Amino acid sequence: VMESTEQILFLGLGYIGLPTAITLAEAGFEVCGFDVKPEVVARLNSGKIHIVEPDLQEAMTQAMATGRLHFSSVPEPADVFIIAVQTPYRETEEHKRVSDMRFVESAAREVGSVIRPGGLCVLESTSPPGSTRLVEQIVSEVSGLKPEEFMTAHCPERIIPGRMLLELRQNDRIIGSNRPEAAEYAKSIYEKVVTKGTIRLTDDLTAEMCKLTEN
């Protein structure tokens, strides 16, 4: 495995985040997994996974042995930030089901606290159209950086429990951004993982709609 220079901070270590963080570390990146729950972080740093997924324990043990994977409950500075927190449904007072974006907004604030100029923030969480721009706005407000001083993209997750490590490598992915160079930068990261699938580039709204249509 070629060691990659990029440091990646992964926000959210559930069924999507943990396998993806492990796979990125296996691909050669320096990866820090961030979670707000200290007990989750402590368990993972002790080398034990906290979710049920075939072959994931072995994969994590190998990734941690390389020294390229660790976990923290404090966000660490990085080059690339990947948000894979949950977006559960909630009922509004008008009895509509809408995505609860609190976790995404909170993760964006964490990114904003440590991002540097030129950094890339990728939203993987399944989110309504406009969410990538919302993340950009929050990161900009918290960091004090103008939107053109950093990059945002949407690369929606596309894996199902039981086959995650396979699907992370084999499934096609879509990456969308309002700036082509941000989509290209994100592609350069994901193509180290997606070894058998195709990565398609588009704008952020299209990527958001593709995922909702697929769901």
Side-chain angles (χ1 to χ4, degrees), residues 57 69 114 121 126 142 212:
Q57 180 63 63
L69 177 65
V114 288
C121 180
T126 302
V142 175
L212 294 180

Side-chain angles (χ1 to χ4, degrees), residues 172-214:
D172 292 352
R173 297 294 288 264
I174 187 164
I175 297 174
S177 178
N178 55 357
R179 283 169 60 195
E181 65 269 31
E184 288 287 354
Y185 186 16
K187 182 183 179 184
S188 74
I189 303 292
Y190 281 93
E191 68 188 2
K192 306 259 191 348
V193 169
V194 182
T195 45
K196 296 206 169 136
T198 305
I199 298 175
R200 292 180 170 80
L201 302 185
T202 180
D203 62 276
D204 48 334
L205 282 168
T206 305
E208 289 162 346
M209 284 304 296
C210 283
K211 174 61 179 170
L212 294 180
T213 312
E214 183 174 57

Side-chain angles (χ1 to χ4, degrees), residues 15 49-54 56 161-162 164:
Y15 275 94
I49 65 173
H50 65 303
I51 57 178
V52 179
E53 175 67 22
L56 194 64
M164 290 188 170

Side-chain angles (χ1 to χ4, degrees), residues 7 14-16 50 63 65 69-70 95 98 102 111 142 162 169 184 197:
Q7 292 178 308
Y15 275 94
I16 304 299
H50 65 303
L69 177 65
H70 72 279
H95 302 294
V98 297
R102 280 177 308 173
V111 172
V142 175
R169 297 190 170 91
E184 288 287 354

Side-chain angles (χ1 to χ4, degrees), residues 18-19 21-23 25-26 43-50 53-71 165:
L18 184 60
I22 290 168
T23 306
E26 286 179 330
R43 183 180 169 90
L44 290 168
N45 272 329
S46 76
K48 297 183 181 69
I49 65 173
H50 65 303
E53 175 67 22
D55 305 322
L56 194 64
Q57 180 63 63
E58 295 83 347
M60 186 166 99
T61 302
Q62 286 172 2
M64 290 181 82
T66 65
R68 289 194 298 265
L69 177 65
H70 72 279
F71 303 95
L165 293 173

Side-chain angles (χ1 to χ4, degrees), residues 61-134:
T61 302
Q62 286 172 2
M64 290 181 82
T66 65
R68 289 194 298 265
L69 177 65
H70 72 279
F71 303 95
S72 173
S73 50
V74 178
E76 297 184 1
D79 306 298
V80 178
F81 302 86
I82 300 177
I83 297 176
V85 295
Q86 56 184 350
T87 46
Y89 286 116
R90 63 178 175 83
E91 292 265 339
T92 65
E93 286 169 9
E94 298 84 45
H95 302 294
K96 286 192 179 134
R97 288 179 82 203
V98 297
S99 289
D100 185 341
M101 296 296 286
R102 280 177 308 173
F103 301 106
V104 168
E105 290 167 13
S106 168
R109 285 193 290 273
E110 301 284 9
V111 172
S113 71
V114 288
I115 196 170
R116 300 177 289 238
L120 168 68
C121 180
V122 180
L123 177 64
E124 278 208 11
S125 306
T126 302
S127 308
S131 298
T132 311
R133 306 281 170 99
L134 173 69

